[in-house]
Amino acid sequence: MGVRCIEKLLIITSTIDHTVDYIISKYNKEIDFFRLNTDLINDYQISITNDGWSIYHDGWKCILHENDINGIYYRKPRFPNLDEFEEEYRSMINNDILSMINGIVDSFNGKVLTKPSILRKYENKIYQLMYAKKLGLSIPISFIGNSNVEVIKMERYKSIIKPIYTGKIYKSNTCEIYQTCIFDSFHEDISFTPIYLQEYVNKSFEVRITIVKNRVFSVKIESKDLVDWRKAYETNKYSLIDVPLSIKNKLFQMMDDFNIDFGAFDFIVNEDGKWIFLEVNPNGQWQWLEKALNLDISNSIITYFKGER
């Protein structure tokens, strides 16, 4: 019996998603892509009725119905510029847009990387921390909370402070990004502002492990920035590295338990060679690693949607 290959793939993202530019350009002869940029939501006509959903865009030259596709790639949706509306209504409009888009994706019966309902649960740093501990992965000494008393105890360690959620604040057409940095002791009131602290681990290097279904792409990252390698993309040194089987098996177990087919896992390898789990992003970036080391991540994603092995 032949494998049914996907003909049409809906991608939910935004105009600034260069990874989607890349994947469409590379595979447009194999896949009929339909890109929905949520920051230009007014360019699309979306209808959800008793008969299902449909989407129309002038550039598509057709109306896309839910039965026309068997795959959705849920990437990086972003809110539109709502400056024309009074400020008190913008949050409500954004929530309605997100609810509409996420409802379409969550209710879809075909393949999805990855449903927003799954992302909401498993992107949560607290959930990940508790799960990793139960799974038996090594994790740094950590504190998440709003206790002014407990946060003082972390001052005994050299610590880093990192975002609990996304670390991004959108303002009209700009985006402020808050990254991981060294935590200096302070005595401000955090009762309204929970924070995330972790013991700083002296590292030999870091590892990004990207898994698509059962394909593993593991990259050693050597960075001049010893706190957050993301701040030094251009000078980082990348190379392939083998993942210990015990670690790999735990990551596959995590993906099964999280019900995800894609994950970008971050580890520190300390000076004693111990692998220490930091976090997993079920919707993480991968394009820069594919280009740096000529990896096959994009093809693995397309193969996943085609249903091929």
Side-chain angles (χ1 to χ4, degrees):
M1 183 176 180
V3 175
R4 180 188 174 190
C5 292
I6 188 171
E7 296 179 355
K8 297 179 180 180
L9 177 64
L10 176 62
I11 302 181
I12 308 293
T13 190
S14 67
T15 55
I16 63 172
D17 190 346
H18 300 304
T19 297
V20 170
D21 298 338
Y22 168 79
I23 204 168
I24 290 177
S25 174
K26 189 172 182 179
Y27 296 98
N28 59 20
K29 293 182 180 179
E30 301 178 34
I31 301 291
D32 195 2
F33 293 101
F34 292 81
R35 178 175 183 161
L36 195 163
N37 293 317
T38 56
D39 53 337
L40 295 178
I41 193 71
N42 53 310
D43 287 347
Y44 301 82
Q45 297 179 36
I46 301 174
S47 298
I48 302 155
T49 69
N50 293 18
D51 298 321
W53 58 259
S54 64
I55 308 172
Y56 175 77
H57 184 272
D58 286 341
W60 294 355
K61 300 179 181 178
C62 71
I63 300 176
L64 189 68
H65 298 274
E66 62 177 303
N67 294 328
D68 294 333
I69 61 172
N70 61 352
I72 298 178
Y73 192 11
Y74 187 88
R75 275 283 304 170
K76 303 292 180 182
R78 188 168 179 244
F79 292 127
N81 186 337
L82 298 177
D83 286 349
E84 64 182 281
F85 296 92
E86 295 181 25
E87 188 172 356
E88 59 264 33
Y89 295 108
R90 294 173 193 169
S91 177
M92 180 185 72
I93 295 171
N94 283 334
N95 288 335
D96 286 345
I97 291 171
L98 194 62
S99 180
M100 176 178 66
I101 295 299
N102 288 356
I104 287 174
V105 180
D106 279 332
S107 64
F108 184 67
N109 291 323
K111 287 188 174 181
V112 179
L113 278 182
T114 299
K115 290 193 174 185
S117 56
I118 293 175
L119 293 176
R120 281 195 300 273
K121 180 175 182 178
Y122 297 117
E123 283 180 333
N124 187 282
K125 302 292 176 56
I126 293 87
Y127 189 99
Q128 288 188 20
L129 199 65
M130 298 296 99
Y131 175 89
K133 182 180 178 180
K134 293 177 184 177
L135 189 62
L137 287 167
S138 296
I139 57 176
I141 296 171
S142 304
F143 166 80
I144 303 174
N146 68 337
S147 169
N148 291 289
V149 174
E150 290 297 321
V151 75
I152 295 175
K153 295 180 182 179
M154 289 297 292
E155 294 181 5
R156 74 185 73 171
Y157 307 105
K158 181 181 179 181
S159 300
I160 59 171
I161 184 168
K162 57 201 301 186
I164 297 178
Y165 187 47
T166 64
K168 296 180 181 179
I169 298 177
Y170 293 102
K171 296 181 179 180
S172 297
N173 292 323
T174 63
C175 176
E176 294 181 4
I177 299 178
Y178 294 84
Q179 296 176 302
T180 300
C181 59
I182 294 294
F183 169 71
D184 294 319
S185 61
F186 65 96
H187 302 284
E188 299 176 18
D189 181 9
I190 63 166
S191 57
F192 283 106
T193 55
I195 62 174
Y196 186 1
L197 300 178
Q198 280 190 329
E199 177 191 14
Y200 177 82
V201 177
N202 291 321
K203 65 193 74 170
S204 291
F205 54 87
E206 297 192 52
V207 179
R208 164 62 68 91
I209 305 170
T210 304
I211 302 180
V212 184
K213 193 65 176 179
N214 58 1
R215 294 204 62 188
V216 179
F217 305 88
S218 52
V219 177
K220 176 181 179 180
I221 303 174
E222 297 172 277
S223 179
K224 293 179 180 179
D225 192 313
L226 298 180
V227 176
D228 189 347
W229 58 261
R230 295 164 185 81
K231 299 176 183 178
Y233 273 110
E234 296 181 357
T235 58
N236 289 342
K237 181 181 178 181
Y238 305 107
S239 58
L240 299 180
I241 187 172
D242 291 329
V243 181
L245 183 59
S246 60
I247 297 291
K248 190 182 298 185
N249 287 339
K250 284 183 171 63
L251 299 189
F252 282 132
Q253 182 64 56
M254 185 184 297
M255 292 182 71
D256 285 344
D257 291 346
F258 285 12
N259 193 27
I260 57 176
D261 290 321
F262 177 95
F265 300 83
D266 288 328
F267 280 81
I268 284 175
V269 178
N270 71 9
E271 295 170 334
D272 296 324
K274 187 176 184 179
W275 287 58
I276 301 173
F277 173 79
L278 296 179
E279 62 182 80
V280 55
N281 187 339
N283 196 16
Q285 299 287 17
W286 50 263
Q287 182 197 358
W288 96 100
L289 290 177
E290 171 158 317
K291 286 189 171 183
L293 295 174
N294 194 28
L295 300 179
D296 208 20
I297 301 173
S298 63
N299 184 61
S300 297
I301 292 171
I302 293 299
T303 298
Y304 169 84
F305 281 113
K306 285 182 175 180
E308 300 171 356
R309 295 188 179 272

